[in-house]
Amino acid sequence: MKLEEQLKSKITFLNKPKLSAHEADSKFNARRLELIPHVKNYISKHEKFKGKEVRVTIAEKGVSSLVCIIETSKEKIVLKIHLSITDANGEAQFLETWERAGVKVPHVIEEGLINGHEYTLMEFIDARPLNEVYKKGEIVKREIYVELGSILRAMHEPKVEGYGRVVNGKAEFLKFDDWIHDEDVQKKFRYVQEHKLLGDEHGSLDVALRVLTEYADRENRSSYCHNDFGTANIFATDPLTIFDPRPRFNNAYFDLGTSIMMTIANDNGLLRAKEQLVKGYFKGEPYDEKVLHASILLNAYMKFPYSHKIKNLERMRNVQEYLIKNKQILD
């Protein structure tokens, strides 16, 4: 047998990509299918897999990325490819930053581009997410949200300048106000307003933006934000392992507001979860309730367009009810 033949990898795909049933995800469905031959080519040419039998399992969950679990006789590793060309850049950079800050994350092996899409090759974590291990009430009962708040605080400790997406390793915008006026952000505001998903009864967006802009200008400090920090993106390991960020540079209150809003969306009866997140994050230190509530309202405007498109109406109703009950915080 020729040496070239001996060095070839035998690659077997154990399943096919699971496609989203939502029209809003049709573009990503097409990209998911287009990437499969490129994944095979990547594995076949990678030094790590030369001459080995390789089995590939495509994770069924996740809409914005193609996640491949690559297994040989000796190890399992994860190849994650972002389906957006620009929206999710920087995952490896963020994971490595948090790892240096003492947060448990999947260790990054390498990063690069596959057919123009950013990928991260990383450690496989043999565990299930918190939301699959515990019931909602059990997570609160065990006060796990206190621990989550503490972890998120540690993730925000590394300082950085700017706001928005990652462009060549740096923030897209220098000022919070510049990010707010970005067309992608403004488009979400218009969508929410045109479809009457939020209104004055839920609190003033203008007031929230003024509160947040003044805070950002005063603080003049940004953080590496997860932007999707919740129990579905945290493995139930010891210590807990954080994964699957949507990398953004922003102020820490905004990212904490994201987590609180997501928790309320899951169940607006779990206000103890919000209290635990705040307790773990601030550790008894004073904090600005108005800035935090402004962040929750802004996050509703940022997340509602997609929730509406996929008809996730209950999640929106939970947040709407919370905002109505707490509107006075911004007054």
Side-chain angles (χ1 to χ4, degrees):
M1 185 182 291
K2 293 181 180 179
L3 178 61
E4 184 180 344
E5 291 296 319
Q6 292 177 334
L7 292 177
K8 276 188 177 179
S9 306
K10 182 183 177 183
I11 305 167
T12 303
F13 282 80
L14 301 181
N15 64 342
K16 294 180 180 180
K18 183 175 181 180
L19 304 182
S20 171
H22 301 295
E23 178 63 29
D25 299 323
S26 58
K27 179 175 68 175
F28 283 176
N29 280 342
R31 290 180 180 177
R32 195 181 303 275
L33 295 172
E34 290 168 2
L35 278 167
I36 297 301
H38 294 283
V39 170
K40 186 173 183 179
N41 185 56
Y42 167 83
I43 295 172
S44 67
K45 292 183 176 180
H46 202 291
E47 288 289 332
K48 197 172 186 63
F49 308 114
K50 271 190 177 179
K52 296 179 180 178
E53 289 195 8
V54 180
R55 294 184 296 172
V56 182
T57 302
I58 300 171
E60 293 190 353
K61 293 187 177 179
V63 173
S64 60
S65 60
L66 178 69
V67 178
C68 301
I69 300 169
I70 304 174
E71 185 175 3
T72 67
S73 60
K74 293 185 177 180
E75 65 177 343
K76 277 186 182 181
I77 52 180
V78 173
L79 173 66
K80 180 178 178 181
I81 309 171
H82 292 287
L83 299 178
S84 170
I85 299 295
T86 59
D87 196 51
N89 289 350
E91 177 163 3
Q93 177 184 344
F94 276 50
L95 291 177
E96 289 171 337
T97 298
W98 292 329
E99 188 174 44
R100 289 193 295 271
V103 176
K104 176 73 173 97
V105 297
H107 180 71
V108 174
I109 299 169
E110 69 173 44
E111 60 179 307
L113 294 176
I114 294 178
N115 195 38
H117 294 261
E118 187 174 286
Y119 77 84
T120 308
L121 191 67
M122 65 185 107
E123 172 190 9
F124 171 78
I125 305 296
D126 189 12
R128 290 186 296 158
L130 285 173
N131 68 327
E132 294 182 10
V133 174
Y134 302 109
K135 295 178 181 178
K136 292 177 186 176
E138 194 176 358
I139 293 176
V140 171
K141 186 176 181 180
R142 291 171 176 263
E143 297 198 336
I144 292 174
Y145 283 107
V146 177
E147 184 178 358
L148 299 190
S150 179
I151 293 171
L152 188 61
R153 174 69 175 264
M155 292 164 64
H156 290 160
E157 286 301 322
K159 294 182 180 180
V160 68
E161 288 186 351
Y163 299 85
R165 292 173 292 200
V166 182
V167 179
N168 297 323
K170 295 183 179 181
E172 189 176 15
F173 300 102
L174 183 61
K175 294 288 187 180
F176 181 85
D177 189 61
D178 295 332
W179 171 65
I180 286 299
H181 286 91
D182 175 50
E183 177 56 25
D184 285 346
V185 175
Q186 291 293 316
K187 189 186 298 182
K188 291 178 181 179
F189 293 169
R190 290 195 297 270
Y191 186 98
V192 171
Q193 291 160 351
E194 287 168 6
H195 291 83
K196 297 180 171 55
L197 305 181
L198 293 167
D200 290 340
E201 69 273 24
H202 303 102
S204 169
L205 176 62
D206 289 340
V207 171
L209 294 179
R210 184 174 71 248
V211 168
L212 288 166
T213 301
E214 290 173 355
Y215 171 79
D217 289 345
R218 185 170 67 249
E219 186 74 6
N220 196 28
R221 179 188 185 279
S222 297
S223 297
Y224 290 81
C225 294
H226 188 286
N227 205 40
D228 203 12
F229 185 83
T231 55
N233 295 325
I234 300 169
F235 286 124
T237 53
D238 186 16
L240 298 174
T241 303
I242 312 303
F243 69 101
D244 205 19
R246 293 187 67 247
R248 293 292 187 276
F249 296 115
N250 215 311
N251 69 63
Y253 271 95
F254 178 80
D255 206 25
L256 178 59
T258 304
S259 298
I260 292 172
M261 195 222 70
M262 288 167 53
T263 302
I264 293 166
N266 287 331
D267 185 344
N268 65 358
L270 285 182
L271 295 185
R272 283 175 58 200
K274 176 204 169 184
E275 294 167 2
Q276 288 179 18
L277 280 167
V278 168
K279 178 181 178 181
Y281 191 92
F282 292 105
K283 306 181 191 303
E285 299 172 359
Y287 67 96
D288 194 321
E289 179 69 25
K290 182 175 282 192
V291 174
L292 182 57
H293 188 74
S295 296
I296 296 170
L297 178 59
L298 174 56
N299 270 286
Y301 273 87
M302 298 294 288
K303 302 289 188 183
F304 271 25
Y306 181 72
S307 293
H308 184 256
K309 289 174 185 176
I310 66 171
K311 296 179 169 44
N312 209 330
L313 305 182
E314 184 179 353
R315 287 175 60 86
M316 290 195 297
R317 277 196 298 270
N318 288 337
V319 175
Q320 288 163 342
E321 289 175 9
Y322 173 85
L323 291 172
I324 289 172
K325 290 177 182 177
N326 293 277
K327 177 188 174 184
Q328 74 283 352
I329 297 175
L330 281 180
D331 292 342

